[in-house]
Amino acid sequence: MSLKLFQETFGEAPAVSGWTPGRVNLIGEHIDYNGGAVLPMALPLGVDMALTPIEDDLAQIVSAQFEGVAVRQLSETASHQWSDYILGALAQVSPAQGWHAAIDSSIPFGSGLSSSAAVSVGALRLAREALHLPKLSAKEIALTAQSIENNFIGVPCGVMDQMAVSALAPGEAMLLDTQTLAFEQIAIPEDWCFVVHHSGVHRELSDGRYAERRATCFAAAEKLGVNLLCQAPISALEIENNLTDIERQRAAHAITEHARVIAAKAALDQRNLSGFGKLMIESHASMRDDFDITTPAIDQLVDVSVECGAIGARMTGGGFGGCIVSLVDAGHKESWRKRFEERAAGAKFIC
């Protein structure tokens, strides 16, 4: 827990503390920056954090997951260190205010379950509370956290992760319109169970592959005459245009993935377990074949999950590693999990 870590490191109780959930994206990958709808769910895993403002211009940050105390100037730029996300949030709230900070995360690093968004959102809320600043709405916090990731960290992500961890409680899902940021909170049926396993392949979105796909999507949208790819009909890909083969593939994923999210929401409303599962499988195939963000290890895990009885399975998160999410009947979860983990020795159960 961050409270104990804070007291052991800094010799006093923190001024504020709190917890922010991670999220798993059930369906709707790489379309939050393309104007599509997305369907994330908050997890029981999260980031626990404790803060105290100090009379200094340094942020001294300790984590239960990393050794030592990171001592950072508030004026520093991001430098690919684990403390970058909390530093960016603290500097955004007050660029001259020093801090003692402790964090403890139950979200595996590089898993695609939004540990970075949880850190940014949690730090923004707690730092504002500690300095007695006006409380911001979930949407305002999410947009600020997104700007930190875009402008400080250098990852041109959309706003889905930040909205999900800012607005949802564990077990709640959200249909989010990423153009308007209007959202509907959704209760998952009691007999549905989403199970997350880590592939063992760790990911790093700041390595350029995420930005490359975003740029390709924007180029395709411009050639199709729309502001955002998800505004284009699928028929637009069938007419003569000057899209490159790669642009056509990326556009095909974005446009069809948006349609799958809308269909998935309808399946949820109708409690259509098999229909939702089928859409998850189609989503993974699109990420693999059109968007090229899966890995052979993850593709194999998805196949094994379905072969062992999952109704649906797909990679979740920005890609190139991380986790898969499987949909199983709640009554068969343990028997399915036993079969799956016997065959997928490299997979680690997350939640």
Side-chain angles (χ1 to χ4, degrees):
M1 293 291 289
S2 65
L3 286 174
K4 181 180 179 183
L5 180 63
F6 189 100
Q7 290 173 323
E8 290 175 348
T9 304
F10 302 114
E12 60 181 4
V16 293
S17 62
W19 182 87
T20 306
R23 71 96 187 96
V24 59
N25 193 22
L26 303 180
I27 193 165
E29 222 64 74
H30 277 268
I31 57 173
D32 56 344
Y33 56 79
N34 282 310
V38 292
L39 192 57
M41 181 181 78
L43 293 172
L45 307 178
V47 173
D48 192 52
M49 188 178 303
L51 297 176
T52 290
I54 60 173
E55 294 183 3
D56 202 337
D57 62 352
L58 297 175
Q60 300 177 48
I61 310 165
V62 62
S63 168
Q65 283 67 53
F66 297 91
E67 293 185 2
V69 178
V71 180
R72 308 287 300 271
Q73 292 280 348
L74 271 295
S75 58
E76 281 184 45
T77 57
S79 53
H80 298 284
Q81 298 184 48
W82 62 263
S83 55
D84 283 348
Y85 284 90
I86 188 169
L87 175 67
L90 296 175
Q92 198 284 330
V93 173
S94 180
Q97 174 65 61
W99 296 91
H100 285 162
I103 59 174
D104 187 3
S105 175
S106 57
I107 308 171
F109 179 74
S111 61
L113 301 177
S114 291
S115 59
S116 59
V119 169
S120 298
V121 166
L124 285 169
R125 280 190 170 144
L126 289 177
R128 293 185 65 85
E129 179 185 345
L131 297 179
H132 308 290
L133 298 175
K135 186 175 181 180
L136 299 182
S137 68
K139 177 180 174 180
E140 290 169 325
I141 286 285
L143 288 171
T144 305
Q146 181 198 19
S147 74
I148 292 166
E149 190 135 6
N150 292 172
N151 303 319
F152 183 74
I153 303 298
V155 176
C157 64
V159 74
M160 173 186 67
D161 296 352
Q162 295 82 4
M163 282 293 294
V165 305
S166 181
L168 295 177
E172 287 184 332
M174 164 193 287
L175 179 69
L176 173 66
D177 180 332
T178 62
Q179 292 188 54
T180 66
L181 298 190
F183 64 90
E184 177 185 351
Q185 289 172 259
I186 304 167
I188 301 297
E190 292 183 2
D191 56 343
W192 294 29
C193 187
F194 291 99
V195 186
V196 180
H197 282 86
H198 197 290
S199 66
V201 180
H202 293 273
R203 51 190 274 286
E204 177 63 65
L205 293 187
S206 59
D207 65 5
R209 291 176 291 179
Y210 186 104
E212 177 187 350
R213 278 153 182 78
R214 178 182 171 116
T216 303
C217 287
F218 287 175
E222 183 176 2
K223 290 180 180 180
L224 291 173
V226 294
N227 292 325
L228 296 164
L229 265 184
C230 293
Q231 296 171 340
I234 191 65
S235 59
L237 301 179
E238 300 168 2
I239 62 176
E240 188 68 27
N241 51 51
N242 61 344
L243 291 177
T244 67
D245 289 343
I246 292 296
E247 288 169 348
R248 191 177 302 277
Q249 286 181 291
R250 305 298 188 251
H253 168 74
I255 296 169
T256 59
E257 185 79 343
H258 172 65
R260 281 187 288 271
V261 173
I262 301 305
K265 171 58 166 60
L268 263 173
D269 291 341
Q270 298 160 11
R271 303 179 71 90
N272 182 354
L273 182 71
S274 62
F276 196 103
K278 181 174 181 290
L279 290 163
M280 292 176 71
I281 294 170
E282 292 174 357
S283 172
H284 184 82
S286 181
M287 291 188 289
R288 180 192 64 216
D289 300 335
D290 286 333
F291 222 68
D292 190 25
I293 55 171
T294 69
T295 70
I298 284 181
D299 294 338
Q300 183 177 18
L301 286 180
V302 168
D303 290 343
V304 170
S305 175
V306 175
E307 290 167 7
C308 289
I311 310 301
R314 62 185 292 277
M315 185 192 70
T316 185
F320 318 110
C323 292
I324 73 163
V325 55
S326 303
L327 173 59
V328 298
D329 185 298
H332 300 146
K333 173 189 172 183
E334 294 307 321
S335 59
W336 167 83
R337 183 183 163 190
K338 183 175 185 295
R339 291 192 300 273
F340 174 72
E341 292 177 1
E342 284 175 351
R343 289 187 55 188
K348 179 183 178 181
F349 174 74
I350 302 299
C351 61

